[in-house]
Amino acid sequence: MKNWSAADVKLILTDTDTVWEAGKNIEFIGYQNDADLVSRMHRTGGFGLVWSENPLVRDYMKYCVSYKLSTYLAAGIPVIVEPDTPQADTILAKKLGLVANSLDEAVEQVKQ
């Protein structure tokens, strides 16, 4: 996410790290408890991004992605996942979101 460069698609992070490079289209909203986060996402819309570029986190997410995925789906917003996410086929078949090979591809799909 620190390499986010999409000027026309805002990335909203539940992080408080404001040391990231200024000028990127990123908004930090800080920690949100589940109820507040689901409510916010339901009101504001958008896409839920289930993603990591860290290989160790990607492997870990194969086992725990259902928690984050279900949070986005509970909010009624579509998700964006990588092709190797265990639920990728279901997401496509049920039209619950997008599957992208890269963040750049994800941005292009969101813009469409």
Side-chain angles (χ1 to χ4, degrees):
M1 302 299 115
K2 291 188 180 195
N3 296 321
W4 187 258
S5 61
D8 44 0
V9 175
K10 180 183 269 189
L11 183 64
I12 299 174
L13 299 176
T14 54
D15 192 348
T16 56
D17 185 358
T18 57
V19 178
W20 289 18
E21 184 179 328
K24 296 194 178 215
N25 197 8
I26 300 174
E27 177 183 348
F28 296 95
I29 62 171
Y31 170 79
Q32 308 277 304
N33 69 45
D34 287 342
D36 290 343
L37 183 59
V38 168
S39 176
R40 177 191 173 100
M41 289 186 297
H42 183 73
R43 285 190 322 273
T44 61
F47 288 81
L49 183 62
V50 181
W51 201 277
S52 178
E53 294 182 351
N54 178 320
L56 295 174
V57 174
R58 285 174 74 153
D59 280 345
Y60 176 71
M61 286 175 58
K62 290 178 184 175
Y63 303 103
C64 72
V65 75
S66 60
Y67 171 75
K68 188 55 71 180
L69 180 66
S70 63
T71 301
Y72 294 136
L73 295 176
I77 63 172
V79 295
I80 302 170
V81 299
E82 297 171 279
D84 61 348
T85 301
Q87 297 83 357
D89 290 339
T90 301
I91 289 165
L92 288 176
K94 304 280 186 181
K95 298 181 177 14
L96 299 172
L98 308 170
V99 176
N101 292 301
S102 68
L103 288 175
D104 290 335
E105 182 182 327
V107 167
E108 287 307 311
Q109 289 186 40
V110 167
K111 289 187 328 188
Q112 292 176 10

